Amino acid sequence: MDGFITLIQSQLFESIVLPTLYRLDLMSFDEEAFDGLYWIIVGVLQIGLTYALLRPLEAFFPLERWATRRATRVDILYTWLAKMGLLNLVFFVMLQPVFDRLKSALTMHGIPSLEPEAFWPDIAAHPLLLFLLYVVVLDFAGYWYHRWEHRLGIWWELHAVHHSQRDMSFWTEDRNHVLDAMLQAVFFSTIALGIGVSPGQYVFLMAWTNFLQNLQHANVRLVFPRWLAALTVSPAFHRRHHAIGYGHEGRQNGCNFGVLLPWWDMLFGTAAWDDAPEPTGIRDQLPTPLGCGRDYGSGFWSQQFAALDRIARRLKGARGWAYGRASLADEAHRAPGRSVAHLLNQPVGTQRNEGASDAR
């Protein structure tokens, strides 16, 4: 696979990119352009494969039936922007010299690095095992990154762009505020470089992680066997994280934060295994008295600026929607047999929005 991508990379670089750089007098950036082209090719292939595999599942086995997929269109834009991998590339390349110098300094002083080879020299002979170890370490870091997004108010306002999608589909995975995407790129690049992940490995780590997260967000009625659900985050497990009243402001300030593995939720007591589907979104999007009808924006720019406006209001001390107010999940808990979907009078699986059908 790597050889196939490298072949395409070389042909595109020689036939299109290199002549363009020459005409624009930008030949000093030829190495950066060559490396970036690899990420772009992987991103395009990833989008095509993800669409080919997951869109039919959403069409034939939908969890929610929508009259239109209009609300998902903006998420397609987010996906194309994210899957090009430019932020990951920029920060990985910028930080790599820093970690190279740090590694040299540690070696000179006899201090072992955090790379697996420092503790298990023979692991390099087992590339699959090394890859899985990278996955586990980055996933553990991702769990805590995700929890911090929900616990820190200003950070939550950025992450709320992701959670404000009420018509969740496989496109939703990349729906993030630009500032949050930059923080993620810095955070995970730092962790990856710290444990010795090479650029090529990092590309495929991100591609594999992103595909599984696309599956988690898919609007598909797919139930994992219990053994598989204990090994990897399922669509039902992650949908509970997006459920109104559960994933963010539930009784224990959220649940199911795991990125790929549910193990960290199980270990730290944040796992919720109820597979009953609930409406997704954020409580204050709902009309009164259940929420306050807050508008999180319908387009890319409106969503980006709305998040900044919410942050400004927090910094000015405007309380707005009271965070400590009882969640819908708590109300449902006090009224046996009444789910969040019942309180919303909108059972999951029924047609909610209006408009002509859309094939996207």
Side-chain angles (χ1 to χ4, degrees), residues 231-273:
L231 290 177
T232 185
V233 171
S234 69
F237 188 86
H238 193 67
R239 186 181 180 90
R240 177 61 52 162
H241 174 71
H242 277 262
I244 297 174
Y246 291 90
H248 174 59
E249 83 270 8
R251 289 189 296 276
Q252 297 180 353
N253 293 323
C255 63
N256 299 7
F257 298 102
V259 181
L260 296 185
L261 309 172
W263 310 342
W264 319 121
D265 286 294
M266 297 161 66
L267 180 63
F268 297 108
T270 55
W273 296 101

Side-chain angles (χ1 to χ4, degrees), residues 250-326:
R251 289 189 296 276
Q252 297 180 353
N253 293 323
C255 63
N256 299 7
F257 298 102
V259 181
L260 296 185
L261 309 172
W263 310 342
W264 319 121
D265 286 294
M266 297 161 66
L267 180 63
F268 297 108
T270 55
W273 296 101
D274 190 347
D275 290 338
E278 296 284 347
T280 61
I282 304 172
R283 178 162 61 116
D284 62 351
Q285 291 177 286
L286 305 176
T288 54
L290 298 178
C292 64
R294 173 172 286 173
D295 182 14
Y296 281 76
S298 58
F300 177 84
W301 290 112
S302 63
Q303 291 167 3
Q304 297 293 304
F305 285 115
L308 298 179
D309 179 67
R310 294 192 302 272
I311 290 174
R313 290 176 180 273
R314 276 186 179 269
L315 293 176
K316 291 178 181 178
R319 290 184 57 82
W321 171 54
Y323 182 85
R325 179 176 165 188

Side-chain angles (χ1 to χ4, degrees), residues 9 20 28 48 104 107 111 133 173 218 274 288 290 292 324 331 334:
Q9 178 190 24
T20 302
S28 59
S104 298
T107 302
I111 302 174
L133 180 60
E173 195 275 313
D274 190 347
T288 54
L290 298 178
C292 64
E331 293 186 37
R334 289 197 297 268

Side-chain angles (χ1 to χ4, degrees), residues 58 64 66 69 71-73 75-76 165-174 213-220 239 280 360:
E58 289 196 337
E64 291 185 300
W66 308 320
R69 292 177 64 88
T72 68
R73 292 176 183 173
D75 294 354
I76 299 175
Q165 176 58 278
R166 299 194 61 201
D167 292 352
M168 195 169 77
S169 72
F170 70 91
W171 296 110
T172 305
E173 195 275 313
D174 291 300
Q213 289 184 87
N214 285 128
L215 174 61
Q216 294 166 16
H217 290 86
N219 176 36
V220 58
R239 186 181 180 90
T280 61
R360 288 183 179 81

Side-chain angles (χ1 to χ4, degrees), residues 11 17 24 54 90 95 97 103 142 188 196 253 284 302 329 345 357:
Q11 292 179 344
V17 178
L24 298 175
L54 300 185
V90 167
L95 292 170
K103 182 180 178 181
F188 288 106
N253 293 323
D284 62 351
S302 63
N345 194 28
S357 67

